[in-house]
Amino acid sequence: KAGVTQTPRYLIKTRGQQVTLSCSPISGHRSVSWYQQTPGQGLQFLFEYFSETQRNKGNFPGRFSGRQFSNSRSEMNVSTLELGDSALYLCASSSPIALVQFFGPGTRLTVL
Amino acid sequence: GQQLNQSPQSMFIQEGEDVSMNCTSSSIFNTWLWYKQEPGEGPVLLIALYKAGELTSNGRLTAQFGITRKDSFLNISASIPSDVGIYFCAGQETSGSRLTFGEGTQLTVNP
């Protein structure tokens, strides 16, 4: 079974721009979660989607949003980028039975 | 919010030595997970623990879910150079699937 895939792997943007990141979960997994990883704050939960509905949300500003499609693929969007948004954005998927989360390789976002 | 305290922050050991790291929480978790992350990659699941008191092994790795449900430890026996990486503990809340992560333990193994 293929693992979680994320595209793109690397991205460079400038302040004020917006960005969209994509995540394809493991086949059969319907839950997708997003995390932000930075050296200062570590791994922080952004949000979780299940069956196209946001089921859980972390403590991030409204500039961070996401959605999930009927095939369970998910996207997250960050608008009006700030320098502090530079981070590794990780996507994880889980099955309804096992609940454990499997992570993709991440998208490294650099905001200049 | 919930906090996970993971220690030690870093370890420098010789190949063949055993390693122990632990996590403590101010809150109860239903599930404890241990992940390993290498540079440029996402965290890889090592061990999942589902019941208080549970002791689970995966090769040279052994992890336990604390009786109070507020702590967990991970042991690595007979370390090898490929054990190098950052090890994270993570707790899963009772009410959802969000993971709360520890700060990580950076492991360096000298051959």
Side-chain angles (χ1 to χ4, degrees):
Chain A
K1 230 184 219 186
V4 178
T5 58
Q6 292 187 245
T7 57
R9 290 294 309 275
Y10 303 92
L11 207 47
I12 299 176
K13 292 285 188 180
T14 56
R15 279 182 300 173
Q17 287 186 311
Q18 74 165 13
V19 67
T20 299
L21 313 180
S22 180
C23 170
S24 292
I26 294 170
S27 176
H29 287 192
R30 293 166 59 194
S31 170
V32 173
S33 298
W34 289 89
Y35 295 82
Q36 181 196 65
Q37 186 176 27
T38 60
Q41 299 298 315
L43 280 146
Q44 301 283 321
F45 172 79
L46 280 157
F47 29 65
E48 184 220 354
Y49 286 86
F50 180 82
S51 292
E52 302 178 65
T53 301
Q54 187 179 88
R55 191 160 68 171
N56 219 334
K57 189 178 190 308
N59 190 25
F60 278 81
R63 299 185 297 106
F64 292 82
S65 63
R67 58 177 176 168
Q68 187 180 33
F69 302 95
S70 58
N71 61 359
S72 295
R73 191 177 69 85
S74 176
E75 289 181 346
M76 69 163 280
N77 183 277
V78 188
S79 62
T80 319
L81 284 166
E82 301 177 359
L83 295 179
D85 296 334
S86 294
L88 181 67
Y89 290 89
L90 293 159
C91 165
S93 74
S94 62
S95 71
I97 299 173
L99 298 180
V100 292
Q101 295 185 20
F102 297 91
F103 284 83
T107 294
R108 171 72 63 186
L109 172 65
T110 302
V111 182
L112 303 176
Chain B
Q2 293 176 328
Q3 297 286 329
L4 282 188
N5 296 309
Q6 185 173 348
S7 64
Q9 282 190 331
S10 60
M11 302 184 74
F12 298 84
I13 62 170
Q14 294 296 124
E15 184 176 358
E17 289 184 1
D18 296 344
V19 169
S20 184
M21 58 193 79
N22 69 84
C23 273
T24 59
S25 168
S26 57
S27 304
I28 288 173
F29 287 112
N30 260 4
T31 305
W32 280 92
L33 302 147
W34 285 91
Y35 289 88
K36 176 187 177 187
Q37 186 175 27
E38 297 184 36
E41 298 298 327
V44 174
L45 180 67
L46 299 174
I47 292 180
L49 302 158
Y50 299 101
K51 290 193 318 187
E54 179 182 353
L55 185 72
T56 297
S57 293
N58 178 8
R60 294 178 296 105
L61 277 60
T62 301
Q64 183 158 30
F65 191 147
I67 290 292
T68 65
R69 294 163 65 191
K70 292 184 178 181
D71 63 310
S72 177
F73 73 74
L74 174 71
N75 286 342
I76 305 173
S77 63
S79 58
I80 58 179
S82 62
D83 290 334
V84 166
I86 304 177
Y87 292 78
F88 290 97
C89 62
Q92 195 161 45
E93 297 175 350
T94 57
S95 58
S97 61
R98 130 187 358 211
L99 293 177
T100 301
F101 281 88
E103 303 97 330
T105 296
Q106 172 76 63
L107 178 64
T108 302
V109 180
N110 296 314

